Amino acid sequence: MAATVAQPDRRYAWKVTASSFLGNTLEYYDFLVYGTAAAVVFPQVFFPDSSGFVATLAAFGTFAVGFLARPLGGLFFGRRGDMHGRKSTLLVTLTVMGISTILIGLLPGYDTIGIWAPVLLVVLRLAQGFAVGGEWGGSMIIVLESSPPNRRGFFTAWPNTGGFSAQILITLSFAWVYTLPEADLLSWGWRVPFLLSAVILVVTFWMRRSLSETPVFQESVAPTTEEPGAPAAAGTIVATFRDDWRNLLLILGLRFAEALPYFLLTVFALSYGNKALGIDRGTLNNAILVVSVLAFVSHGVFAAVSDRIGRRPVYFFGSVVVFVMAFPFFGLLHTGSFLLITLGYVLVLNLGHNAINAVQPAFFAELFPADRRYTGAAAGREIASILAGGLTPFVATALAGPDGTRWPLVAGYVMLGAVLSMIAVWKAPETFRRDLRKTSTEPKSAAVG
């Protein structure tokens, strides 16, 4: 194996970052446009025979189903990425993810094909989730392994703003959808945001095709996988769970303070605020639009700080903010004031969640050796996504109750998740100076040379 890895070219690093940013924008757009539709129109389109509360639970249940497929996708595509390369794997995840979303936008409703409508919705949601399971880990790792060693946190933070760039697109598209008459919204208006994902798919695929494989994979991983007697692909998964189980558990705990507030504020609150509190959907969407724009600034700041002082202090700070703001957020939401609601969103998401989200890509990937990095980071994050993310709107809706009066239980749920993340940060090692070239067959190195 080569003793050194060539210094990454900064211009190429930005090109890789832009490609991964678009890929993650598509990932989050696909997943969150579903969540928005599940909160607003899916109860009527796909579950019209149920009561309002039950139909909403059913719609959020199909939202959660996508997360069930994500760990399988993380394992499948992670294994493929560790054996055959990051780039080719990301082309597959991008294609499957985009096509699934477009097909959801073309799916007939319950009134047209009956029970097959929700059945096909679940199937497409599973396919979407399967592909998403491999997209995040690969897109972050290809940036991580192509970036200057002392700027890894900064570069990997930008693709992770894809959730907020996607939220801007979704907010703007649904702002237009909300202006449609009810009949048009339920028949064809809700489909437009799904079909628009085709534009992002084509642009991202074109950019991603021109990328090269990462220096770390070429010099540290590829030579070992091509050797006679190299372990079978399945061995990568076995070794990850056998040797890296502590890191997988750490990621499970670390995700709660990030995923709970994000899906609570961008999915659950859209339904709860409108139906339980009578807040106009446009007010909530505009608040989300504000924090989505501010997210680019906060991610850059928090990521740059993590490259100087480490991942753990920044991650812990964000978890504490989420804990402290759980109850005050609902108080601000209940005022119905746009300014106060926006303040709540900014404090929870820009100050709390963004500190975590900016650090998470580098932190998670740096926990694993080069030859299991894709498998470990993707599988760990997506396994955690079931409990920490996908179930959030469903659990929060159930806790709040049909009339939304049990909201303190929802706030307590978020606080518990933040505590779990603080414990995980305390137990986690610092990673920001680790040598990415090290494989599982070599002694661990504490720092980059």
Side-chain angles (χ1 to χ4, degrees):
M1 184 182 69
T4 60
V5 174
Q7 181 73 12
D9 178 79
R10 193 176 294 268
R11 285 180 298 178
Y12 179 73
W14 276 114
K15 179 180 179 181
V16 177
T17 301
S19 169
S20 291
F21 167 76
L22 288 175
N24 273 270
T25 297
L26 179 63
E27 171 196 346
Y28 280 102
Y29 183 90
D30 290 353
F31 238 63
L32 292 174
V33 75
Y34 189 103
T36 302
V40 177
V41 298
F42 278 7
Q44 299 98 306
V45 174
F46 292 102
F47 307 97
D49 290 342
S50 303
S51 67
F53 178 65
V54 173
T56 300
L57 281 178
F60 282 152
T62 62
F63 178 78
V65 161
F67 285 84
L68 297 179
R70 287 174 67 157
L72 296 177
L75 289 170
F76 177 83
F77 291 114
R79 180 185 67 181
R80 188 187 189 284
D82 281 330
M83 296 300 296
H84 303 294
R86 317 327 191 185
K87 173 192 169 180
S88 64
T89 301
L90 285 170
L91 288 173
V92 177
T93 61
L94 181 72
T95 302
V96 175
M97 190 170 59
I99 291 176
S100 299
T101 302
I102 293 169
L103 290 177
I104 290 175
L106 297 173
L107 189 63
Y110 188 93
D111 291 341
T112 303
I113 59 174
I115 191 63
W116 284 107
V119 169
L120 292 174
L121 180 67
V122 169
V123 170
L124 290 173
R125 181 64 171 168
L126 286 170
Q128 191 186 56
F130 186 75
V132 167
E135 171 66 25
W136 185 89
S139 61
M140 298 305 165
I141 288 167
I142 200 171
V143 174
L144 186 83
E145 294 180 346
S146 303
S147 302
N150 63 338
R151 303 292 301 281
R152 297 191 310 229
F154 180 78
F155 275 94
T156 55
W158 294 111
N160 221 27
T161 62
F164 292 94
S165 57
Q167 198 67 64
I168 292 173
L169 296 176
I170 293 168
T171 301
L172 292 175
S173 62
F174 268 92
W176 170 77
V177 168
Y178 292 152
T179 65
L180 296 174
E182 186 78 6
D184 290 342
L185 185 152
L186 295 176
S187 62
W188 60 267
W190 68 268
R191 302 176 186 278
V192 175
F194 284 87
L195 299 178
L196 286 176
S197 67
V199 178
I200 309 174
L201 171 62
V202 171
V203 174
T204 309
F205 190 89
W206 174 76
M207 288 190 65
R208 193 165 278 181
R209 283 190 62 190
S210 66
L211 300 181
S212 303
E213 192 49 79
T214 71
V216 172
F217 181 84
Q218 290 177 325
E219 300 189 36
S220 300
V221 183
T224 64
T225 60
E226 294 169 359
E227 292 174 359
T236 304
I237 297 176
V238 173
T240 300
F241 282 95
R242 182 191 63 216
D243 300 332
D244 297 312
W245 62 270
R246 292 178 182 83
N247 291 331
L248 295 176
L249 287 178
L250 285 174
I251 289 176
L252 174 61
L254 289 168
R255 282 226 62 195
F256 278 97
E258 172 260 324
L260 283 186
Y262 185 77
F263 288 108
L264 184 78
L265 271 63
T266 61
V267 179
F268 166 76
L270 291 179
S271 174
Y272 172 80
N274 179 252
K275 295 178 181 178
L277 304 179
I279 300 172
D280 183 70
R281 290 177 185 145
T283 298
L284 298 170
N285 272 284
N286 288 336
I288 293 175
L289 183 61
V290 171
V291 298
S292 297
V293 173
L294 293 177
F296 294 94
V297 177
S298 56
H299 274 73
V301 171
F302 286 124
V305 172
S306 80
D307 280 330
R308 288 182 170 272
I309 68 173
R311 318 299 185 208
R312 294 173 72 239
V314 179
Y315 210 107
F316 191 84
F317 168 78
S319 301
V320 170
V321 172
V322 170
F323 177 88
V324 171
M325 282 302 303
F327 271 88
F329 170 77
F330 278 94
L332 294 171
L333 184 65
H334 278 239
T335 66
S337 164
F338 171 71
L339 291 178
L340 293 178
I341 291 173
T342 302
L343 175 63
Y345 268 85
V346 168
L347 292 174
V348 176
L349 290 182
N350 294 134
L351 193 62
H353 170 274
N354 290 179
I356 297 170
N357 205 52
V359 173
Q360 194 176 90
F363 197 12
F364 286 8
E366 289 165 348
L367 288 170
F368 299 93
D371 53 337
R372 295 201 298 266
R373 182 166 295 133
Y374 200 151
T375 304
R381 183 180 187 268
E382 303 311 337
I383 290 172
S385 71
I386 298 176
L387 295 176
L391 290 175
T392 297
F394 181 88
V395 172
T397 299
L399 288 175
D403 55 1
T405 56
R406 299 200 302 263
W407 65 265
L409 295 178
V410 182
Y413 175 50
V414 174
M415 293 178 73
L416 176 61
V419 169
L420 291 175
S421 291
M422 285 187 272
I423 294 172
V425 175
W426 177 56
K427 291 287 187 179
E430 185 52 78
T431 63
F432 78 119
R433 295 193 186 278
R434 281 191 172 175
D435 188 343
L436 296 182
R437 298 167 297 176
K438 295 299 182 181
T439 65
S440 56
T441 59
E442 299 176 89
K444 291 183 179 179
S445 173
V448 177

